[in-house]
Amino acid sequence: MRRVCACCFTSSSPNIKRQNPNSDKPSQSSVVTMRTTQQNNATQLPKDVEETPAKLSPPRAANILQNHDFSMGLQHWHPNCCNGYVTLAKSNNLDEASHSSCARYAIATDRNECWQGLEQEITNSIIPGITYSVSAIVGVSGSLQGFADVLATLKLVYKDSTINYLGIGRSSVLKDKWEKLDGTFSLSTMPDRVVFYLEGPSPGIDLLIQSVEITCASPNEMKKSGKDNASDENIILNPKFDDDLKNWSARGCKIVVHDSMGNGKVLPQSGKFFASATERTQSWNGIQQEITGRVQRKLAYDVVAVVRVFGNNITTTDVRATLWVQTPNSRDQYIGIANVQATDKDWVQLQGKFLLNASPSKVVIYIEGPPSGVDILIDSLIVKHAQKIPPSPPPSYENPAYGFNIIENSNLSNGTNGWFPLGSCTLNVGTGSPHIVPPMARDSLGPSQPLSGRYILVTNRTQTWMGPAQMITDKVKLFLTYQVSAWVKIGSGATGAQNVNVALGVDNQWVNGGQVEISDNRWHEIGGSFRIEKQATKIMVYIQGPAPSVDLMVAGLQIFPIDRRARLRYLRTQTDKIRRRDITLKFSGSSSSGTFVKVRQMQNSFPFGTCISRTNIDNEDFVNFFVKNFNWAVFGNELKWYWTEPQQGNLNYKDADELLDLCKSHNIETRGHCIFWEVQGAVQQWIQSLNKNDMMAAVQNRLTDLLTRYKGKFKHYDVNNEMLHGSFYQDHLGKDIRADMFKNANKLDPSALLFVNDYHVEDGCDTRSSPEKYIEQILQLQEQGAIVGGVGIQGHIDSPVGPIVSSALDKMGILGLPIWFTELDVSSINEYVRADDLEVMLREAYAHPAVEGIMLWGFWELFMSRDNSHLVNAEGEINEAGKRYLGLKHEWLSHASGQMDGTSEFKFRGFQGTYNVQIIVNASKKISKTFVVEKGDTPVEISIDM
């Protein structure tokens, strides 16, 4: 019987609910296939593999296999419980079976069973009753005497979990010789999954594959079947309603085809007809088309629809494209593709992207969204395989002038020249402001000139947005990160705390440059940042915020581009101090001076984790990247209350259980996110409708059900998410409910650390979640008896500046609690800039002594809560941000070598984690041992018995 291991499992599709429109969860996602290339010769196989992306090129039209010649690395192929890579070499030992003297071929290595090799799923490309021909160029390498058999096989998976294997062909192969493998197959019925793979040689023998083709033996039969695999064709049938409503159906309403509406005021945008979804009574009512069999697993698809709305006196409303997927075990999944604000005045374009991780039994795309009574009009719908978009080149900064203040007359030596009042307020110059540069800017600039002590006094303010302004259009360079710094103060007469904001108007769009809340008559520092990524015709900076009639004072405003290189050099030094320790290996037994010692760190045990979701684990490429590059996980939605109990008493823990099983099988620790969510928009309607007593009972039931079921399985819990930004449970159940949640959670699972968790704590752009307010909240919880075990900083950040982040961490560090970045992501349309942002955040966190873990909020395109934040592109290519992450993970491994000293000791400096040490006594005697270095910064001695 063929054995199944964790790296090649498959599982049923998840039961995905409609996503709550909050930013704290991943969006629908795409798939990753690792691609590797290696330069070498044909007879000497490479030992180390460098992962590099390959250019995307479509497979040959007649061949149903994707990437049949490995021109895209291992894209679309999966090593079945072994390792694999692609090499490009000029081979001198190819025989006549080879088609080329310059062969790119795949190698399946580290094979422990004869059935291990390379596989590719072909479910959506197979039609029952059609005969297919298989042709492959294969070889073998390794310690081999005589011939080895290479087999082509189909794995057929059925709904009842039955698995059958169908042999297609066999070829006997000599070492370092290419042979041709041929065969045919035909399926009388269609399984749920069809996987093609090559296998056969004995364990320890590498399997080589130069190319593989599976073609229809009778093309006329294929043509008659209507099967079309052309990736550039629209998979929507009758997309412009030229054939009336053929292939379309209504979703809970009525659909009609028109050539015009509204007495000729509504006409098709293109073509002759459009359709309407009318008599709608629910927001999900609309027009739909089934695309089962025309959409393939693990391929990204672009969706473009032309839509508008009509009727019920509505002028604008949300229109959405959604995918309904039914899995073979009849679980329903809803995937949000895109949304747009549609109007009753003109046609608008709805654009989005989706990808299926699993093999569904049914797929339907539909248009929905407006409230009942509003008609949805659709002019056309296009769904095509997404074309690869080349990445933008790294930005080129001509004379960036790092550290140079772009604000004119910042010290006010020329009065208010260069400044103008925004609105009808009045600007004057006063004296008596601080002479020192604010701390966060000082950390960025280093030694700098003192400030003048002069400030702008803003009076006669009649609107909150009134204040001093300056045009900086020609001074801002695209993709440069700018730091913002100023001293601000407010006049008397304010009622309550006042928010002061350095803002930018970028072509009439507001950009946040930093905020601070003021409730006294002291000078306060504003520290923030921004970056412009699209060319603007007008950029204005202005200071605003206090209530009308409250005077505003602004001193020493500086906006300057930052050079991150000096900061990164400092962080490398700081990382060595904080994360590495002196290690002495003391050898006992037959050791002697001069014995050679080689130490390699296998794994850094510092927590580097990521968000995952149930849909992800149907994609074996996602799983491979996840388990190789992360040691902690958090679930995007599957533990949240609205997921585990969408309707009262209807409990769903299946998705969380399956995610936990995956993590446990790979020794990956997990965080529990989250028990409650304080923001009202994330609270189920059935909870919101309860009276106080019933709501209190529901809260206690939630605690008991969740923490009893998973006792000891989650290392952390975010107890009540985002308490700085929401107050639903406190408003309904009283001021003690938050502390009670912590106290009861601790009683139910004393082993779990209980966290607070919130966003914008680290970036200076949100006065509701300043470090000071976060500290105040935590202290209040502790005073009420809450056992707060950790501080969660989400880290959804734009244009990060190291000293600003570090300043927030320093402030939070005074609590003495472990700080975790719990949901870190960065976003930029340029993946090189995104990589820089990610490096800034990872280095700042890793170099800070109070930070004890870093969790990314996902890594795979289409499964992220923010656009342009992924590390791996939709169909598997690691982008520049992903490469930067992997590079840092490699940098944070310690290696050392040298000779044992006269006291049988070997000393080096290393990170926490697992190590392998090789002791080379002589040419014939080598000893290998493993040891673990625990977290700490003091010297440590480790005894190794030889």
Side-chain angles (χ1 to χ4, degrees):
M1 179 179 292
R2 296 169 189 263
R3 286 180 284 174
V4 178
C5 67
C7 66
C8 57
F9 75 94
T10 58
S11 59
S12 57
S13 297
N15 181 18
I16 298 297
K17 312 296 186 293
R18 294 175 181 269
Q19 291 185 347
N20 185 290
N22 288 276
S23 64
D24 186 57
K25 59 186 72 62
S27 64
Q28 201 273 328
S29 102
S30 346
V31 179
V32 182
T33 306
M34 299 299 301
R35 303 168 190 181
T36 62
T37 61
Q38 176 73 38
Q39 296 288 342
N40 211 336
N41 59 58
T43 57
Q44 179 63 45
L45 300 183
K47 296 180 180 178
D48 295 316
V49 181
E50 177 186 357
E51 292 178 342
T52 58
K55 293 183 178 180
L56 186 68
S57 59
R60 291 169 58 182
N63 189 0
I64 68 172
L65 284 176
Q66 305 276 348
N67 186 25
H68 76 288
D69 58 359
F70 305 101
S71 59
M72 296 182 286
L74 283 183
Q75 170 121 356
H76 305 296
W77 292 93
H78 175 56
N80 185 11
C81 297
C82 58
N83 288 319
Y85 57 89
V86 171
T87 183
L88 176 62
K90 290 185 177 180
S91 175
N92 298 320
N93 293 317
L94 303 182
D95 66 7
E96 296 177 357
S98 174
H99 299 304
S100 171
S101 62
C102 183
R104 182 191 300 271
Y105 57 91
I107 301 176
T109 188
D110 298 332
R111 299 175 60 256
N112 300 315
E113 301 284 351
C114 63
W115 48 264
Q116 293 173 351
L118 290 186
E119 66 180 22
Q120 183 175 142
E121 182 168 345
I122 56 174
T123 310
N124 293 321
S125 302
I126 296 298
I127 302 172
I130 300 293
T131 300
Y132 295 89
S133 296
V134 178
S135 179
I137 305 299
V138 297
V140 294
S141 182
S143 301
L144 175 66
Q145 299 294 328
F147 289 90
D149 284 340
V150 177
L151 286 68
T153 308
L154 288 185
K155 180 168 71 172
L156 312 175
V157 184
Y158 295 89
K159 287 182 179 179
D160 60 359
S161 299
T162 300
I163 300 178
N164 291 334
Y165 296 92
L166 176 64
I168 301 173
R170 177 191 302 261
S171 180
S172 294
V173 185
L174 278 172
K175 178 181 177 182
D176 297 329
K177 293 292 184 180
W178 293 112
E179 295 288 349
K180 193 172 183 180
L181 185 156
D182 291 316
T184 61
F185 70 89
S186 178
L187 303 180
S188 58
T189 60
M190 191 62 193
D192 289 280
R193 291 188 67 220
V194 182
V195 179
F196 169 82
Y197 63 101
L198 291 162
E199 57 168 340
S202 301
I205 303 301
D206 291 347
L207 171 59
L208 317 182
I209 309 165
Q210 187 182 123
S211 65
V212 195
E213 294 187 1
I214 301 180
T215 57
C216 178
S218 177
N220 289 334
E221 290 183 57
M222 180 67 80
K223 190 172 183 179
K224 290 177 183 177
S225 72
K227 190 75 172 180
D228 187 0
N229 290 314
S231 62
D232 60 345
E233 291 194 10
N234 187 7
I235 67 172
I236 296 297
L237 304 177
N238 186 24
K240 298 175 71 66
F241 308 100
D242 293 321
D243 203 0
D244 200 57
L245 290 172
K246 185 178 180 181
N247 301 112
W248 294 93
S249 62
R251 190 173 184 85
C253 59
K254 179 181 178 182
I255 58 174
V256 183
V257 169
H258 310 265
D259 55 11
S260 68
M261 286 180 68
N263 295 321
K265 293 181 179 179
V266 180
L267 297 171
Q269 186 193 63
S270 60
K272 299 179 180 179
F273 306 102
F274 61 90
S276 69
T278 188
E279 300 180 19
R280 300 174 61 254
T281 60
Q282 302 288 336
S283 63
W284 53 265
N285 294 159
I287 185 169
Q288 65 184 12
Q289 184 170 137
E290 183 174 350
I291 55 175
T292 311
R294 303 197 300 276
V295 61
Q296 296 186 44
R297 172 180 181 250
K298 294 170 57 174
L299 287 184
Y301 289 87
D302 283 325
V303 177
V304 180
V306 177
V307 298
R308 65 188 292 173
V309 292
F310 184 83
N312 206 24
N313 296 318
I314 197 161
T315 57
T316 181
T317 186
D318 191 51
V319 175
R320 299 190 296 271
T322 306
L323 210 64
W324 172 58
V325 178
Q326 189 173 63
T327 66
N329 60 357
S330 299
R331 295 168 71 181
D332 291 340
Q333 173 186 353
Y334 294 91
I335 299 172
I337 300 172
N339 66 284
V340 69
Q341 284 294 304
T343 74
D344 65 345
K345 303 299 182 186
D346 206 352
W347 295 100
V348 296
Q349 199 169 80
L350 173 69
Q351 290 183 286
K353 195 173 181 179
F354 73 86
L355 179 143
L356 300 178
N357 283 312
S359 298
S361 59
K362 191 171 185 178
V363 186
V364 174
I365 187 169
Y366 63 98
I367 308 297
E368 59 165 341
S372 60
V374 178
D375 292 353
I376 303 173
L377 311 186
I378 176 169
D379 179 81
S380 60
L381 177 62
I382 298 173
V383 179
K384 290 184 177 181
H385 178 219
Q387 295 299 305
K388 179 180 171 64
I389 301 174
S392 301
S396 177
Y397 309 120
E398 184 177 349
N399 186 26
Y402 293 122
F404 178 78
N405 187 11
I406 66 174
I407 295 297
E408 179 184 351
N409 190 25
S410 175
N411 64 7
L412 305 174
S413 57
N414 294 321
T416 59
N417 286 349
W419 297 91
F420 62 88
L422 192 61
S424 58
C425 60
T426 302
L427 306 186
N428 289 292
V429 176
T431 58
S433 60
H435 286 267
I436 62 171
V437 173
M440 286 182 279
R442 192 160 63 245
D443 286 345
S444 291
L445 295 170
S448 52
Q449 294 294 320
L451 302 179
S452 67
R454 291 183 286 270
Y455 63 87
I456 297 176
L457 173 63
V458 189
T459 57
N460 301 320
R461 300 177 62 256
T462 59
Q463 300 289 337
T464 59
W465 47 265
M466 289 184 177
Q470 195 170 124
M471 300 304 298
I472 57 173
T473 309
D474 296 333
K475 300 175 182 178
V476 175
K477 297 179 184 293
L478 291 183
F479 292 108
L480 267 179
T481 299
Y482 288 84
Q483 184 168 348
V484 177
S485 174
W487 290 111
V488 292
K489 184 179 177 180
I490 60 172
S492 59
T495 303
Q498 301 293 307
N499 183 12
V500 179
N501 169 223
V502 177
L504 290 95
V506 182
D507 286 344
N508 299 315
Q509 299 240 333
W510 176 76
V511 174
N512 191 352
Q515 299 186 46
V516 67
E517 188 176 81
I518 302 176
S519 56
D520 54 33
N521 63 353
R522 296 182 298 112
W523 287 96
H524 290 258
E525 176 186 13
I526 277 189
S529 64
F530 68 89
R531 183 170 56 234
I532 307 300
E533 297 197 347
K534 293 182 180 179
Q535 195 65 52
T537 58
K538 184 177 72 172
I539 304 176
M540 175 180 66
V541 61
Y542 59 103
I543 298 90
Q544 60 163 354
S549 78
V550 177
D551 292 347
L552 171 64
M553 287 158 268
V554 182
L557 176 65
Q558 297 196 66
I559 297 178
F560 55 91
I562 59 168
D563 183 0
R564 290 165 159 170
R565 291 171 296 181
R567 179 71 181 180
L568 296 184
R569 286 194 295 270
Y570 161 77
L571 291 175
R572 288 187 182 96
T573 302
Q574 194 69 4
T575 296
D576 181 80
K577 293 178 181 178
I578 300 300
R579 298 298 173 192
R580 299 175 80 184
R581 58 195 306 193
D582 290 325
I583 302 164
T584 299
L585 302 182
K586 299 178 72 69
F587 298 94
S588 59
S590 56
S591 59
S592 61
S593 176
T595 298
F596 191 79
V597 176
K598 182 178 180 181
V599 177
R600 293 188 64 82
Q601 187 172 8
M602 312 305 293
Q603 184 180 45
N604 188 319
S605 58
F606 182 88
F608 289 102
T610 183
C611 165
I612 61 173
S613 293
R614 175 58 190 82
T615 50
N616 298 147
I617 67 175
D618 291 321
N619 184 327
E620 60 275 10
D621 301 311
F622 180 100
V623 172
N624 285 342
F625 190 92
F626 165 56
V627 300
K628 286 179 181 177
N629 298 300
F630 300 97
N631 54 17
W632 276 69
V634 62
F635 307 161
N637 286 302
E638 288 78 0
L639 212 66
K640 292 170 181 169
W641 196 1
Y642 63 66
W643 190 276
T644 62
E645 194 175 7
Q647 291 84 37
Q648 189 168 16
N650 181 17
L651 298 177
N652 167 35
Y653 290 111
K654 181 177 176 60
D655 299 322
D657 288 347
E658 292 178 359
L659 289 171
L660 260 179
D661 289 343
L662 172 68
C663 293
K664 183 179 179 181
S665 69
H666 291 281
N667 297 314
I668 292 174
E669 301 285 6
T670 49
R671 302 191 74 250
H673 177 78
C674 51
I675 304 175
F676 301 102
W677 197 343
E678 190 74 315
V679 176
Q680 182 167 345
V683 179
Q684 306 94 298
Q685 193 58 48
W686 69 263
I687 296 173
Q688 296 188 39
S689 66
L690 297 175
N691 61 42
K692 182 176 181 179
N693 289 338
D694 289 343
M695 189 180 296
M696 187 69 82
V699 165
Q700 186 56 50
N701 288 340
R702 161 68 171 172
L703 279 164
T704 303
D705 289 346
L706 185 72
L707 277 80
T708 301
R709 179 184 183 88
Y710 294 117
K711 186 173 183 178
K713 295 183 179 180
F714 289 101
K715 295 293 185 180
H716 301 170
Y717 280 105
D718 297 326
V719 176
N720 192 2
N721 201 37
E722 298 173 0
M723 293 184 288
L724 292 170
H725 290 88
S727 58
F728 174 81
Y729 293 105
Q730 183 170 264
D731 292 343
H732 288 79
L733 301 176
K735 63 182 180 64
D736 294 330
I737 186 58
R738 293 177 169 180
D740 288 343
M741 289 172 173
F742 276 83
K743 288 186 278 189
N744 290 331
N746 178 254
K747 290 177 183 176
L748 289 164
D749 190 351
S751 68
L753 280 181
L754 304 180
F755 276 67
V756 291
N757 192 50
D758 229 304
Y759 59 92
H760 285 328
V761 179
E762 78 293 340
D763 56 15
C765 73
D766 187 345
T767 57
R768 292 172 298 177
S769 52
S770 66
E772 292 79 8
K773 285 194 174 182
Y774 210 13
I775 291 169
E776 181 183 1
Q777 181 184 87
I778 293 166
L779 292 175
Q780 287 177 351
L781 287 168
Q782 291 176 328
E783 288 171 3
Q784 293 175 278
I787 303 174
V788 180
V791 180
I793 298 176
Q794 291 183 9
H796 303 293
I797 192 169
D798 296 305
S799 54
V801 172
I804 296 175
V805 174
S806 180
S807 173
L809 293 174
D810 288 344
K811 292 172 183 177
M812 299 303 306
I814 68 170
L815 291 169
L817 296 171
I819 297 174
W820 280 58
F821 277 94
T822 55
E823 304 179 17
L824 177 62
D825 59 20
V826 296
S827 177
S828 173
I829 60 175
N830 187 294
E831 62 185 53
Y832 292 89
V833 176
R834 191 188 319 160
D836 290 343
D837 284 355
L838 183 63
E839 181 174 3
V840 166
M841 292 304 297
L842 291 175
R843 286 196 185 276
E844 289 291 345
Y846 195 52
H848 200 282
V851 176
E852 296 191 9
I854 303 170
M855 307 289 295
L856 302 186
W857 199 241
F859 59 88
W860 205 276
E861 187 183 12
L862 300 184
F863 290 96
M864 308 284 290
S865 63
R866 290 206 291 171
D867 291 337
N868 303 310
S869 59
H870 55 281
L871 312 188
V872 184
N873 298 342
E875 292 179 359
E877 184 177 89
I878 303 174
N879 60 31
E880 291 301 321
K883 293 175 187 175
R884 193 74 57 88
Y885 171 76
L886 296 178
L888 288 171
K889 287 290 297 294
H890 180 75
E891 178 184 324
W892 294 330
L893 294 174
S894 300
H895 308 304
S897 60
Q899 291 183 329
M900 193 183 301
D901 65 19
T903 60
S904 297
E905 293 182 350
F906 180 76
K907 297 180 180 180
F908 71 102
R909 189 164 173 80
F911 296 103
Q912 68 187 69
T914 303
Y915 288 80
N916 173 263
V917 57
Q918 282 191 344
I919 305 100
I920 304 173
V921 180
N922 52 52
S924 61
K925 185 177 181 182
K926 296 180 182 179
I927 301 171
S928 180
K929 300 282 187 178
T930 60
F931 62 91
V932 175
V933 175
E934 302 292 349
K935 181 178 73 173
D937 54 8
T938 58
V940 61
E941 291 186 353
I942 295 175
S943 298
I944 295 180
D945 186 4
M946 295 175 58

